[in-house]
Amino acid sequence: MTRFLLIINLATVLFLAACDDGAKSNNQTNNLNNVNNVNNLNNLNNLNNVNNLNNGACGDGQLAAPESCDDGNTAPADGCAADCTVEDRWTCDTASPSVCVPWDAERWARALIAGEVTTDAAFAAIDGLTGFPVTTASGTFIFLHWYEGGEWTIAGDFNDWFEVGMSRQGDFVWTEVEIPDGRGLKYKFVSAGVYQSDPWSRSYTYDEFGEISYVLPPTDLWHLERWHGLAAEGLAERLLRVYVPAGAGPWPVMYMHDGQNLFDPAAMWGGWKLQDVVATNGYELLIVGIDNSVDRMTEYTHTDDEIDGQTFVAQGDAYARLVELTVRPLVEARYPTNGLRGVMGSSLGGLISLYIAHLYPEVYHFAGSLSGTLGWGKFGLDNPLVRELYETAGLRDFAIYVDSGGAAPIDGCTDAGGFVIAEGSDNYCQTLAFYDALLTLGYTADVDAHYLWDENAEHNEAAWASRVDIPLGIFLDLSVP
């Protein structure tokens, strides 16, 4: 019975199939069209997805041709431009999103050697980064020097002072040397038998032959560092010199002026030789020497004055901003400091030190003036003295040191009414008047007001070097904030 039913059903199927005339019902046609439409739509979506994958939108963080970078945004000046091309002097990786970094010192050096950038641009950029010589990722050092005619070589501790040739390329010479460890190794450039320090080396020191450069600074000895091209506030460009103690810090910082006279034994009157003063007294601090410029008479003064018929228009406010907004941020970003700050100088440098502390009393804990030109403002005009500015401001929370050499004039410093009518030698009268004013304001002698008279001392670097240990000691005795 079961076999019979199966035969009947199979026959029925065959009959139905034999009756199919090839035509489809409307419902069947619609259903088939619907299926095709779905398939076509899916294919279109898939195609769009492929196109989107291959041609991602710039700024979506997905690196895709023809993009050379995609950092996830279209903002400029971050290495990847709004059109997803790498910006000039940046390097971007091929990750998604791209990571872009400015050129490092080695990339600048390689670009200079390849002729991609100017020597001026490369030197300025490298000096603002790691300085010279340039340490490479492979452990070599690239030495660069402006070409000054003739043949150039380099010699140093790293090769027992055997001269190595340097290649000339336009307006500079260069060489690349493999040095396993450059820490504390000294070198010089050589031309025509004359050895000279690298004027662009970041780290240097002085020996019996004068200035000498370090490949890398030592950690167990003090050294000096320099920063070129310091310019801001519309003032002339200058050099910054930093005395760095041995060790790792952090240290107090003393900001000083006339930087070219502070460390160089060949400076006028033998210079201050602060490195010797610090070593003799066992002091540990950063000393930041800011070179003066040809505009010293105006940059170091707080108000206009006239001398011998010439009027000097003060730029002291701009110079104070240079120190506060450019120098101090650079120093405190690059060196370990403990928050204790002082500012000090001599002659007009003493005057501007007192003025800077007056403008930024919350920043500095100490202001020092050695033989300060404190009569400025009334030599030929009638403008406020720095003493009058302090009198108006009243008692403030930083320590002050003032001194002078010289002596009082025979007839004394003041008239019958107590007004200072004479300078005496080495700014003696105005310095004493400034100190007396501090005591009147409520400062305490030998606590936050300090005065020294170095009788008959002259107005020069040798005299200041002989007594600068005193204000440095006072500064270092202050409590770290």
Side-chain angles (χ1 to χ4, degrees):
M1 181 69 179
T2 303
R3 184 182 304 167
F4 175 76
L5 290 174
L6 178 62
I7 292 172
I8 295 298
N9 289 336
L10 178 61
T12 303
V13 170
L14 291 173
F15 173 79
L16 290 173
C19 293
D20 187 354
D21 62 0
K24 295 179 173 63
S25 68
N26 287 337
N27 288 339
Q28 288 176 314
T29 301
N30 289 338
N31 290 338
L32 183 60
N33 288 337
N34 288 340
V35 171
N36 289 336
N37 288 339
V38 170
N39 289 336
N40 289 337
L41 182 60
N42 288 336
N43 289 337
L44 181 61
N45 288 336
N46 289 337
L47 181 61
N48 287 337
N49 288 338
V50 170
N51 289 335
N52 287 339
L53 182 61
N54 291 333
N55 299 284
C58 177
D60 65 0
Q62 296 298 316
L63 183 61
E67 298 172 342
S68 55
C69 62
D70 194 323
D71 59 357
N73 67 74
T74 56
D78 62 358
C80 190
D83 60 355
C84 284
T85 57
V86 179
E87 293 178 320
D88 190 30
R89 298 171 183 176
W90 285 74
T91 300
C92 298
D93 63 17
T94 57
S96 292
S98 303
V99 177
C100 302
V101 295
W103 281 4
D104 60 14
E106 181 181 0
R107 181 66 182 87
W108 273 101
R110 302 289 184 200
L112 174 61
I113 294 168
E116 299 172 9
V117 295
T118 66
T119 307
D120 275 325
F123 270 60
I126 292 170
D127 184 74
L129 295 166
T130 60
F132 296 83
V134 176
T135 306
T136 72
S138 61
T140 61
F141 290 85
I142 300 174
F143 295 87
L144 296 153
H145 183 54
W146 283 92
Y147 180 65
E148 299 174 359
E151 299 294 323
W152 286 85
T153 61
I154 185 174
D157 291 333
F158 52 84
N159 64 357
D160 292 326
W161 292 90
F162 179 81
E163 293 181 35
V164 175
M166 302 183 75
S167 301
R168 180 187 173 188
Q169 192 159 326
D171 56 2
F172 70 96
V173 293
W174 73 281
T175 190
E176 187 167 355
V177 182
E178 185 174 347
I179 304 174
D181 183 7
R183 189 69 59 185
L185 300 183
K186 301 171 184 175
Y187 74 95
K188 284 190 175 184
F189 294 131
V190 188
S191 182
V194 177
Y195 288 71
Q196 61 178 272
S197 180
D198 181 354
W200 283 81
S201 66
R202 170 73 80 232
S203 306
Y204 67 103
T205 187
Y206 292 97
D207 62 14
E208 63 271 28
F209 302 108
E211 183 184 307
I212 187 167
S213 302
Y214 280 120
V215 177
L216 289 175
T219 57
D220 58 345
L221 297 171
W222 66 268
H223 67 279
L224 295 165
E225 297 191 1
R226 67 182 130 219
W227 300 81
H228 288 264
L230 182 71
E233 307 300 329
L235 302 178
E237 185 177 302
R238 69 203 66 217
L239 191 70
L240 193 71
R241 308 163 196 260
V242 183
Y243 170 90
V244 184
W251 301 289
V253 189
M254 181 66 78
Y255 295 89
M256 298 185 68
H257 321 287
D258 296 310
Q260 55 265 69
N261 297 330
L262 299 180
F263 309 107
D264 188 352
M268 61 177 64
W269 293 94
W272 296 54
K273 294 185 284 289
L274 285 176
Q275 63 271 29
D276 295 341
V277 174
V278 168
T280 299
N281 291 275
Y283 295 156
E284 291 189 2
L285 76 163
L286 290 164
I287 302 175
V288 179
I290 309 162
D291 277 17
N292 63 41
S293 77
V294 295
D295 299 317
R296 182 178 185 273
M297 291 286 286
T298 58
E299 290 178 352
Y300 285 9
T301 51
H302 66 289
T303 190
D304 300 350
D305 208 345
E306 183 181 290
I307 297 177
D308 295 331
Q310 181 178 356
T311 299
F312 295 91
V313 179
Q315 298 185 84
D317 288 297
Y319 181 78
R321 290 193 301 272
L322 170 74
V323 176
E324 177 61 17
L325 303 179
T326 300
V327 175
R328 192 168 72 80
L330 184 154
V331 169
E332 296 184 10
R334 301 280 183 154
Y335 300 94
T337 64
N338 67 4
L340 183 63
R341 304 183 194 94
V343 57
M344 182 167 67
S346 61
S347 191
L348 285 175
L351 171 65
I352 197 62
S353 295
L354 293 173
Y355 188 57
I356 290 172
H358 166 73
L359 293 177
Y360 302 101
E362 73 287 353
V363 171
Y364 296 95
H365 308 94
F366 175 89
S369 168
L370 288 78
S371 304
T373 313
L374 306 189
W376 187 273
K378 298 192 185 299
F379 290 140
L381 300 176
D382 188 19
N383 287 322
L385 301 170
V386 70
R387 165 166 53 91
E388 294 171 319
L389 299 181
Y390 271 68
E391 288 172 333
T392 300
L395 179 64
R396 289 177 289 187
D397 191 23
F398 60 90
I400 301 168
Y401 169 91
V402 293
D403 76 19
S404 78
I410 295 175
D411 296 330
C413 292
T414 60
D415 62 12
F419 293 99
V420 177
I421 57 172
E423 284 299 310
S425 55
D426 198 39
N427 300 312
Y428 170 85
C429 292
Q430 289 290 359
T431 299
L432 180 59
F434 185 92
Y435 175 69
D436 288 340
L438 293 180
L439 299 182
T440 301
L441 289 170
Y443 288 85
T444 303
D446 299 326
V447 175
D448 54 2
H450 303 265
Y451 170 73
L452 173 70
W453 175 33
D454 189 5
E455 187 173 2
N456 294 321
E458 297 183 2
H459 191 88
N460 58 41
E461 281 71 17
W464 300 322
S466 71
R467 62 180 188 259
V468 70
D469 61 302
I470 296 172
L472 286 176
I474 293 170
F475 169 63
L476 293 174
D477 282 340
L478 297 176
S479 298
V480 175

